[in-house]
Amino acid sequence: MQWITHKFGGSSLADADCIRHVAALLLERDDPAQAVVVSAMAGTTDELVTITGQAASGQPGWPERLTKLEQRHLDTAANLLDDEEILAATRSRLEAIFKDLRQLLASLELMGTAPIEAVELISGLGEVMSAELLTARCHQVGAEAVFIDAREILRTRPTALMTAVDWQASGELLSDLRARQPANRYVITGFVCRRDDGRISTLGRNGSDYSGTIFGRLFNADAIHIWSNVDGLLSADPNQVPQAQLLDHLSYREAFELAYFGARVIHPQALSPALEANIPVFLRNTFKPENNGTRIDSAGHPEPPVKGISGVRDMALVTIEGAGMIGVPGTAERVFSALHRADISVTMISQGSSEHSICMVVPGSEAERTCRLLEEAFEREMRHGLVQRIFSLPDIRVLAIVGEGMAGTPGVAARLFSSLARAGVNVRAIAQGASERNISVAVDEVDAQRALKAIHAGFYLSEQTLSIGLIGPGQVGRTLLEQIEQTRQRLFEQGHLDLRLSAIATSKYMRLSDTGGHIDDHAPLGDGDEPLNFDRLADHVDDGHMPHAVIIDCTASDAVADQYATWLERGIHVITPNKHAGSGDLERYRDIRQLASSGSARWRYEATVGAGLPVIQTLRDLLDTGDRILRIDGIFSGTLAWLFNRYQPGMSFGALVAEARGAGYTEPDPRDDLSGTDVARKLVILAREMGLEIGLDDIEVESLCPEELADKSIDEFMAALPDYDDQMAGRISEASTAGRVLRYVASLDDNGHAAVRLESLRGDHAFAHLALTDNVVAFTTERYRDNPLIVQGPGAGPEVTAAGVFADLLRVAAHLGARL
């Protein structure tokens, strides 16, 4: 007969509804035969141990607690069982257990102590009662089920490492029972056993899972299913890494490593019987039986190379160092012999090839004793200066990456340490075995959660996953979001570039994604969103769940530009069409440039000058290849280009400005365009790119905004502007009569002389015949002295500006390794 072993944890049997669900789950399966191992109902074992302690110490109140626990089990039986005969028999067995238990506890109260034999007997009664309840439920629905008390089958003996099973004796006892009571479903108590001397005992904490695999081996099962309230083994602790992913297939050795380093769901020793008998183990969710969970077997699966990241906290790093240790045989043996004699477990060992020092990770509670023992063991060497010092560092966590596929896969360690470096985590010690199945690092506890998130992101997300925060979802910002959404899937499929919008912010509000998620809701922000907080926004965008963080500033705010240095310093890339940082305060500009050039984060600002045109990139290419810039001339305002391409004698200049505003070619306040300040800012940015440290005050700017209208509201300004048409009419008439055109031109030479003004240009000038909103830049250089290098194209409008910002984002991604 083909047996399938099922083990159900306490959360799966927490109450009558859960037990009813478990029985239905078992009956719905098509297993040929089932060996079902159960834990106690959730919380029962802890309560039994507490009551035992209270009784033995003479504390009042234990009888009442025992009565409450008894009533819980009796109520469960009543809720679970409708058949009066089955209910009466089950109640009778439960009441008998509690009657004997009450007498035993009263004896312990008289004795004033609780021998270990009594504690183990009492702590295992919860499993007996839950097995009785599940068996009765099976009988209630007409299904076959035979109750087995594992204390009558399982024979064990304690060893230094674990509780060992007497397989021969246990197998013979099980065979005898099956011969006397043949069945295709047995319900078995987990956790409990008998020692080889006949004394009732337990398998220790987490012993129920161990029972499950033990009986899996005893029944020679085809598979062992361990059911709990989680979906399976995850790639990391979901409480610390919300993006932890379900591992669908592991080898026994991978599971051993992860379980040892703190992975929940299964205890390391629980896998031993399955490994020895080569039985696959499935970790599954009782309440989601349709999910396959995690399979653990001898083969495992090579992908992904790193299966999971786990850790052990509350540790300390102890180091012994000294020149007298170099080349001296037996030093390590003396260290670990001293600790072995003191029964101190060493979690991790690291020693450099120089043999100058040995460091080891021990439980934090043992750090002081470890140092004292080593000082005693090396007292002579310390006295003679051969060992300089023995010291400990507290608050250490050991993190381990585990995976069979790491063996022979180049770059795994590189990815681990680059992930930690990006997160700013210092590694105290490193260890890796020759099998390459595990790489362990010791880090400070204060850095541990950040390190765990960074490592997980490094291995479980695309290396080119970018967490994006967008500030300023106006015309350009909204258009950028649309462009990102339109291309996200293609970029991921073609270049493994994973763009995730983590935050959107206005001047007042911000909207944050779920951890590691992507914001799909681009609706206008308002009272339903959080108030804007720059620090919280940056912390969310750069929370360590994703390998890289980018903040895109699509505002025209100087206050946002003030944040750039802070963001760059913490490793957040900054991309912007905002001209304030590049043209504003010179000291701030120097700080930003220095951080961008010396740190890991990039500052990209191509769209500040030519929207989508490669103006700054062209200038950088010229400078980086050794050319010398003699002068730069250009039309840098798409708004003003549109106006003067359209403006003809007889037209109202004020009406033309209103038309441009209605078409979205101007700023909300057209004075921002007409004043020339915007163009002057662009010229400052180019000058500083050339190495000229100038500011706005160094540029001669001709404003096209009448001074009398400077303080008016926008509506008042727009209404009054046509009254000043005569000033501009005279200039356009004069230029037209001479066969010339008016263009608003910015000029800069290599001496730093800079001007922005309305010029009358010949009809054959390169700037005379442009498309409506074109920007144009002419670079006169040593190489392009006689025939300047021209960059020309649309320089206004949300689509091209957003495209320029998007191009900068892709350049950052390419720098990070995206294959675009």
Side-chain angles (χ1 to χ4, degrees):
M1 187 177 292
Q2 292 181 321
W3 287 87
I4 305 295
T5 298
H6 298 271
K7 184 271 167 181
F8 290 93
S11 60
S12 301
L13 303 161
D15 54 32
D17 288 339
C18 291
I19 297 172
R20 188 179 293 111
H21 173 76
V22 167
L25 185 158
L26 290 169
L27 299 182
E28 288 169 4
R29 292 180 57 86
D30 58 359
D31 303 332
Q34 296 174 338
V36 183
V37 180
V38 297
S39 296
M41 292 174 64
T44 298
T45 301
D46 287 341
E47 185 68 1
L48 286 169
V49 171
T50 300
I51 291 171
T52 302
Q54 288 182 335
S57 59
Q59 296 180 38
W62 69 262
E64 291 76 14
R65 293 185 72 157
L66 185 63
T67 298
K68 185 177 179 180
L69 184 62
E70 179 179 12
Q71 194 60 50
R72 177 189 175 192
H73 283 77
L74 293 175
D75 289 346
T76 299
N79 197 357
L80 194 64
L81 306 171
D82 297 328
D83 185 291
E84 293 185 4
E85 184 177 344
I86 295 174
L87 175 58
T90 304
R91 284 183 61 92
S92 176
R93 286 192 290 272
L94 293 175
E95 289 170 346
I97 291 171
F98 277 99
K99 179 181 179 181
D100 292 342
L101 176 56
R102 193 176 299 274
Q103 293 175 350
L104 175 56
L105 290 170
S107 299
L108 298 181
E109 186 176 37
L110 289 173
M111 293 168 58
T113 186
I116 186 62
E117 294 83 357
V119 173
E120 290 190 331
L121 186 154
I122 294 170
S123 62
L125 292 176
E127 279 73 12
V128 176
M129 293 185 287
S130 63
E132 290 278 12
L133 289 167
L134 181 59
T135 303
R137 178 61 190 178
C138 291
H139 293 163
Q140 165 81 49
V141 295
E144 180 183 32
V146 173
F147 171 88
I148 293 182
D149 186 340
R151 295 175 296 188
E152 305 309 317
I153 302 297
L154 195 53
R155 296 294 179 264
T156 66
R157 63 181 181 279
T159 68
L161 297 178
M162 59 189 291
T163 300
V165 178
D166 185 334
W167 294 106
Q168 182 175 347
S170 301
E172 290 173 355
L173 289 169
L174 179 61
S175 295
D176 290 345
L177 183 144
R178 290 174 60 186
R180 295 193 309 272
Q181 295 179 276
N184 61 8
R185 180 179 296 109
Y186 293 100
V187 179
I188 309 163
T189 59
F191 185 52
V192 295
C193 60
R194 282 186 190 271
R195 297 280 179 88
D196 48 10
D197 60 4
R199 178 169 68 83
I200 289 175
S201 185
T202 68
L203 296 171
R205 281 296 185 182
N206 303 294
S208 290
D209 285 347
Y210 191 23
S211 296
T213 56
I214 289 170
F215 277 99
R217 177 174 169 179
L218 288 173
F219 275 91
N220 194 26
D222 286 357
I224 300 168
H225 295 255
I226 296 180
W227 301 85
S228 66
N229 60 350
V230 297
D231 291 340
L233 199 60
L234 300 179
S235 56
D237 182 349
N239 293 321
Q240 299 186 62
V241 183
Q243 289 178 292
Q245 300 179 18
L246 179 67
L247 302 174
D248 57 3
H249 198 172
L250 295 171
S251 71
Y252 294 121
R253 291 177 178 82
E254 288 171 331
F256 276 130
E257 296 275 6
L258 285 172
Y260 175 77
F261 280 98
R264 299 179 180 181
V265 181
I266 192 164
H267 192 273
Q269 76 172 7
L271 289 172
S272 296
L275 170 64
E276 293 162 2
N278 197 25
I279 303 171
V281 176
F282 295 85
L283 308 180
R284 304 184 63 182
N285 191 329
T286 304
F287 308 102
K288 298 178 184 177
E290 68 278 6
N291 295 349
N292 292 328
T294 300
R295 177 187 174 108
I296 303 172
D297 57 28
S298 58
H301 195 279
E303 294 295 331
V306 172
K307 292 299 195 304
I309 303 101
S310 195
V312 182
R313 62 176 71 217
D314 298 325
M315 308 300 284
L317 185 68
V318 176
T319 302
I320 175 172
E321 62 181 36
M325 296 165 54
I326 299 174
V328 178
T331 301
E333 188 274 335
R334 290 174 62 194
V335 168
F336 299 114
S337 291
L339 301 185
H340 170 69
R341 288 192 296 272
D343 201 27
I344 294 176
S345 175
V346 177
T347 297
M348 172 180 156
I349 305 162
S350 181
Q351 181 178 21
S353 58
S354 69
E355 302 182 27
H356 179 263
S357 66
I358 300 174
C359 63
M360 64 217 80
V361 176
V362 300
S365 59
E366 297 283 11
E368 184 177 343
R369 190 162 72 103
T370 299
C371 288
R372 188 172 65 251
L373 289 167
L374 293 178
E375 287 169 357
E376 293 172 0
F378 289 88
E379 184 274 333
R380 185 177 63 83
E381 286 81 358
M382 293 187 72
R383 185 157 32 89
H384 292 288
L386 300 175
V387 170
Q388 272 74 50
R389 59 176 183 156
I390 297 170
F391 63 97
S392 68
L393 290 174
D395 302 320
I396 293 292
R397 192 185 303 188
V398 177
L399 300 178
I401 60 171
V402 173
E404 297 272 10
M406 290 163 52
T409 302
V412 172
R415 186 180 294 191
L416 168 64
F417 294 113
S418 64
S419 298
L420 292 171
R422 279 196 301 266
V425 175
N426 181 42
V427 177
R428 294 288 189 179
I430 306 162
Q432 179 179 19
S435 69
E436 300 184 52
R437 191 180 300 119
N438 173 318
I439 302 177
S440 300
V441 294
V443 302
D444 293 322
E445 181 62 40
V446 69
D447 296 329
Q449 187 162 355
R450 187 168 75 254
L452 195 57
K453 292 176 182 177
I455 296 170
H456 191 272
F459 285 101
Y460 275 86
L461 300 177
S462 163
E463 285 191 76
Q464 288 77 49
T465 300
L466 274 67
S467 170
I468 300 170
L470 175 76
I471 304 177
Q475 289 191 57
V476 172
R478 282 197 304 273
T479 304
L480 175 62
L481 292 178
E482 291 171 3
Q483 293 177 356
I484 289 174
E485 286 299 327
Q486 290 166 4
T487 56
R488 275 187 79 216
Q489 189 62 33
R490 178 179 61 80
L491 290 170
F492 183 76
E493 291 172 355
Q494 295 180 359
H496 300 289
L497 176 59
D498 188 356
L499 301 178
R500 301 194 186 184
L501 182 64
S502 298
I504 307 175
T506 65
S507 60
K508 293 183 178 180
Y509 302 103
M510 63 183 183
R511 180 176 301 155
L512 308 181
S513 68
D514 294 332
T515 301
H518 175 75
I519 298 176
D520 295 313
D521 179 10
H522 301 164
L525 278 67
D527 293 339
D529 295 293
E530 291 187 45
L532 173 64
N533 180 294
F534 285 128
D535 291 338
R536 174 156 162 69
L537 183 142
D539 288 342
H540 182 77
V541 173
D542 183 36
D543 70 349
H545 287 100
M546 288 175 266
H548 310 287
V550 180
I551 291 180
I552 301 175
D553 172 21
C554 288
T555 73
S557 167
D558 197 61
V560 179
D562 277 339
Q563 302 295 318
Y564 290 4
T566 301
W567 295 336
L568 290 166
E569 190 169 19
R570 63 182 290 173
I572 301 174
H573 304 281
V574 177
I575 299 170
T576 184
N578 182 349
K579 301 174 216 25
H580 280 270
S583 62
D585 180 75
L586 189 57
E587 283 302 318
R588 179 179 67 185
Y589 172 80
R590 288 176 182 144
D591 288 343
I592 293 171
R593 289 285 296 203
Q594 192 275 328
L595 286 166
S597 61
S598 63
S600 60
R602 296 298 179 99
W603 175 37
R604 300 293 306 198
Y605 46 92
E606 181 69 74
T608 57
V609 174
L613 297 179
V615 176
I616 293 174
Q617 188 62 52
T618 300
L619 176 56
R620 280 258 49 97
D621 289 346
L622 292 169
L623 294 169
D624 292 344
T625 57
D627 204 352
R628 176 169 168 258
I629 309 299
L630 302 179
R631 66 179 294 111
I632 298 174
D633 300 283
I635 294 175
F636 294 128
S637 170
T639 302
L640 295 175
W642 188 90
L643 287 171
F644 288 105
N645 274 316
R646 289 283 312 279
Y647 191 39
Q648 299 294 326
M651 296 178 68
S652 167
F653 187 72
L656 193 61
V657 171
E659 183 182 345
R661 183 169 183 259
Y665 290 133
T666 73
E667 295 293 331
D669 186 345
R671 285 170 292 192
D672 293 341
D673 298 299
L674 297 175
S675 68
T677 302
D678 188 65
V679 175
R681 287 188 180 280
K682 296 177 180 181
L683 203 58
V684 170
I685 291 169
L686 293 177
R688 290 178 176 178
E689 203 71 25
M690 290 169 57
L692 303 171
E693 293 193 335
I694 68 172
L696 288 173
D697 293 341
D698 300 309
I699 298 180
E700 300 173 22
V701 180
E702 178 185 358
S703 173
L704 304 183
C705 178
E707 291 184 12
E708 297 85 351
L709 303 182
D711 296 330
K712 302 291 185 181
S713 70
I714 296 175
D715 291 340
E716 290 172 338
F717 168 78
M718 293 303 299
L721 186 59
D723 296 339
Y724 294 82
D725 281 350
D726 290 346
Q727 296 179 7
M728 196 63 69
R731 297 182 71 170
I732 189 64
S733 178
E734 180 182 346
S736 181
T737 300
R740 301 172 76 87
V741 296
L742 293 182
R743 296 291 184 265
Y744 198 74
V745 179
S747 301
L748 170 70
D749 65 23
D750 57 350
N751 292 316
H753 297 137
V756 174
R757 53 181 172 256
L758 188 63
E759 296 187 11
S760 177
L761 304 178
R762 298 190 317 273
D764 61 352
H765 193 282
F767 295 174
H769 303 284
L770 303 175
L772 282 179
T773 61
D774 271 7
N775 278 9
V776 60
V777 186
F779 294 101
T780 303
T781 75
E782 290 283 3
R783 295 176 190 154
Y784 296 92
R785 184 187 294 269
D786 298 327
N787 187 14
L789 176 62
I790 303 292
V791 177
Q792 179 180 338
E799 289 80 10
V800 293
T801 304
V805 176
F806 199 178
D808 269 346
L809 177 61
L810 296 183
R811 289 187 187 99
V812 169
H815 165 70
L816 298 173
R819 299 184 297 277
L820 304 175

